[in-house]
Amino acid sequence: MDNRTSSSAGSGNERSPRGGEQPTAGERGQAVALLRTHNIQTLDQCGGIDILVSNAAVNPIGQVEEIGGVVAFLCSEEASYITGETITAKLTLYACSASLLAQKGKKQLTCVREGRDIEELNSLMPQGMNEFPSLFVLNLGRIGLATALALGMRGAHVVVSSRRQANVDKAVALLRTHNIQVTGTTCNVGKGEDREKLIQMTLDQCGGIDILVSNAAINTFFGNILDSTEDDWDKVLSLNVKSAFLLTKLVVPHMEKRGGGNIVFVSSVVAYQPIQGLGPYCVSKTALLGLTKVLAPELAQSNIRVNCVAPGVIKTRFSTILWENEAIMDKFKTQLSIKRIGQVEEIGGVVAFLCSEEASYITGETIMATGGAGSRL
């Protein structure tokens, strides 16, 4: 059990939503008493502090548990390859953050400022970790498989696909060893008939679609970008970008029937920091950032959230040429705050978070899981 201690603090000169200054000792005492009703230890019972949550005044738009979930995620092992990043969501309430952190195994917490009535806060306290009652469509690969595992362990019925039957069989067997409900099929997402077949099979097997994770990608070219051909661009953009959009277009009507859903695109750090020699591939990954931004506001009215994950160098077959070369990795690590290569499980955890209720106030965002590499357009 993780027994780290968390402290939550305001800026020191904030005003509460009721127009007052910092809460009184009595108000703090009420917040502490509330947390203890949820079996959460507070600072006077701890020997130190491991997590500090600091934020500005409460924004009246949105729900407190949505930001509590974001804070809990950032302090969890699922975010272990994320540092130096800001996740955009505009509301925080300390006691709710503390409750969610405690339910993730962080039992020793404190709340030093609370801006809402204690009775209202008590009604908002979550009663257990959310599970996914949803279906999940995915294209395989090491990151894809880790994502399927992360969502499946949270209760999702997982549908996995790959161009190769052997990959499908291997993934299904592995997921079933974890008691995950899984269906597998072959699919080349670059072909329209395969995409339609995948969606129809999913509907027949599961009755609906709640989550789409699009992580299919290829690279057909390495060299000076001016030496790339029209065929290189057609292949890379067609699979990496166009198929992601067309899959989205197919699943949206089915998500709308179920009252909403989640779409996650898997981009890459090269969307921000291109690697020389991978020109078309880098451009395709940057395009996914734009696709996320364009789709998010249009689909929000249907209660469908659209987000993106941009992994750094993760230990996969695709990046073998990097992580097997010690000299290259030593140079690469100088650019990282977390001095190691990322693991696929760390990306799966980020995707699972984005599909959860804890991320329900996040859409149109790209989360960088890069070990702290500076990554901004």
Side-chain angles (χ1 to χ4, degrees), residues 38-321:
H38 293 269
N39 297 318
I40 298 172
Q41 291 178 293
T42 51
L43 190 59
D44 59 331
Q45 299 170 303
C46 306
I49 296 175
D50 299 296
I51 301 170
L52 172 67
V53 179
S54 177
N55 63 293
V58 173
N59 186 321
I61 300 174
Q63 300 300 318
V64 292
E65 55 267 34
E66 294 169 318
I67 305 308
V70 177
V71 174
F73 164 70
L74 287 174
C75 298
S76 74
E77 287 302 310
E78 294 174 340
S80 57
Y81 206 50
I82 298 174
T83 190
E85 293 298 318
T86 299
I87 297 180
T88 303
K90 299 181 179 180
L91 173 68
T92 301
L93 190 62
Y94 312 106
C96 196
S97 298
S99 174
L100 285 165
L101 280 167
Q103 292 180 51
K104 284 185 176 289
K106 284 71 177 173
K107 289 292 186 183
Q108 297 175 318
L109 306 161
T110 184
C111 172
V112 298
R113 179 178 181 276
E114 194 279 294
R116 288 198 180 192
D117 293 337
I118 295 299
E119 293 79 8
E120 178 185 3
L121 179 59
N122 193 37
S123 69
L124 292 171
M125 280 290 184
Q127 300 304 309
M129 293 302 295
N130 291 320
E131 291 186 345
F132 293 97
S134 53
L135 174 130
F136 173 58
V137 179
L138 170 76
N139 293 289
L140 286 175
R142 286 204 66 206
I143 289 177
L145 185 57
T147 302
L149 182 61
L151 283 167
M153 293 293 285
R154 289 159 174 79
H157 181 157
V158 178
V159 175
V160 296
S161 70
S162 173
R163 289 180 296 171
R164 297 179 177 87
Q165 185 65 51
N167 292 345
V168 174
D169 294 341
K170 187 183 299 185
V172 168
L174 173 63
L175 294 170
R176 285 179 177 166
T177 64
H178 293 273
N179 297 316
I180 292 171
Q181 190 175 6
V182 56
T183 303
T185 184
T186 56
C187 176
N188 181 345
V189 295
K191 295 181 178 180
E193 58 271 25
D194 276 22
R195 292 191 296 267
E196 292 178 2
K197 179 182 174 182
L198 172 65
I199 299 304
Q200 190 57 54
M201 186 216 68
T202 298
L203 296 172
D204 294 341
Q205 292 287 321
C206 309
I209 298 175
D210 300 302
I211 299 170
L212 167 67
V213 177
S214 178
N215 68 313
I218 61 168
N219 179 55
T220 63
F221 174 83
F222 183 85
N224 188 311
I225 191 170
L226 294 180
D227 293 329
S228 60
T229 66
E230 182 176 358
D231 186 56
D232 290 323
W233 285 93
D234 287 344
K235 288 179 179 178
V236 170
L237 293 180
S238 178
L239 187 72
N240 297 8
V241 183
K242 187 170 74 171
S243 69
F245 167 72
L246 293 175
L247 270 174
T248 299
K249 191 173 181 178
L250 285 174
V251 302
V252 163
H254 303 291
M255 289 183 175
E256 289 175 333
K257 290 177 183 178
R258 293 168 73 85
N262 284 282
I263 297 168
V264 179
F265 300 120
V266 179
S267 180
S268 169
V269 66
V270 302
Y272 298 93
Q273 296 182 341
I275 294 178
Q276 188 174 3
L278 298 177
Y281 178 82
C282 296
V283 171
S284 74
K285 289 300 184 178
T286 304
L288 290 176
L289 311 184
L291 183 61
T292 301
K293 289 291 187 184
V294 169
L295 286 172
E298 294 195 16
L299 296 183
Q301 60 187 347
S302 298
N303 196 33
I304 298 172
R305 295 188 296 107
V306 184
N307 290 291
C308 186
V309 178
V313 177
I314 308 299
K315 194 171 185 179
T316 65
R317 185 169 57 87
F318 188 83
S319 62
T320 300
I321 192 172

Side-chain angles (χ1 to χ4, degrees), residues 303-358:
N303 196 33
I304 298 172
R305 295 188 296 107
V306 184
N307 290 291
C308 186
V309 178
V313 177
I314 308 299
K315 194 171 185 179
T316 65
R317 185 169 57 87
F318 188 83
S319 62
T320 300
I321 192 172
L322 298 177
W323 54 263
E324 282 191 343
N325 188 312
E326 187 174 343
I328 292 177
M329 282 308 302
D330 286 344
K331 183 177 180 180
F332 177 74
K333 287 176 184 177
T334 63
Q335 305 173 37
L336 303 179
S337 299
I338 300 174
K339 305 295 185 181
R340 61 173 176 81
I341 193 170
Q343 301 297 317
V344 291
E345 295 80 7
E346 294 171 309
I347 307 306
V350 176
V351 175
F353 162 71
L354 286 173
C355 297
S356 72
E357 286 301 309
E358 293 173 347

